[in-house]
Amino acid sequence: MFPFPGRHYGIGNHPIAPVRVVTASGSLVEMPLSVIEISGRRIPVAGGGFWRATPRIAIDLAARHIAREGRALVLYLHPHEFDPEPLRSHRGIARNVYVNLGRRSIAGKLRHI
């Protein structure tokens, strides 16, 4: 779950801490992707495009903020973000720019964290 009001995904008012989900088949713990709250607004820090566009120092500050709150840093990183070859999207040049921008920084940011 992504507790962020995204355009195509996420639920903005979902809890940011782990939630136990109980079903007839059993239970599980849902680990929401990491966000921080600043002045009542949720800022995503979970990975993907957010990591590609965010400077390492900001990710570091956000990770420390999350740790101070006693939460775990929950990330998602796409395998293609570690591929040294540029991606080519069938969705056009704008998508090519988006999926390739900042990809080279992902491995370094992950090693740092």
Side-chain angles (χ1 to χ4, degrees):
M1 175 52 60
F2 198 5
F4 177 74
R7 200 170 67 170
H8 300 291
Y9 52 85
I11 299 175
N13 62 352
H14 192 277
I16 63 173
V19 175
R20 180 167 300 279
V21 178
V22 179
T23 72
S25 301
S27 66
L28 58 91
V29 176
E30 181 179 80
M31 300 293 292
L33 294 171
S34 289
V35 298
I36 60 171
E37 292 182 319
I38 298 175
S39 299
R41 297 197 63 165
R42 290 186 175 180
I43 310 296
V45 294
F50 304 106
W51 265 38
R52 290 193 308 268
T54 304
R56 186 169 77 176
I57 190 166
I59 293 170
D60 189 45
L61 290 170
R64 290 173 193 267
H65 179 93
I66 289 166
R68 280 193 305 276
E69 291 180 348
R71 295 188 289 134
L73 183 64
V74 180
L75 306 174
Y76 72 96
L77 297 168
H78 304 285
H80 67 255
E81 290 170 324
F82 297 93
D83 186 346
E85 295 298 317
L87 297 175
R88 301 278 184 255
S89 174
H90 65 280
R91 293 170 56 191
I93 192 163
R95 184 69 179 174
N96 282 345
V97 170
Y98 170 75
V99 297
N100 286 294
L101 189 66
R103 273 183 53 228
R104 290 188 186 141
S105 70
I106 294 292
K109 289 173 181 175
L110 183 59
R111 274 192 299 275
H112 178 75
I113 291 298

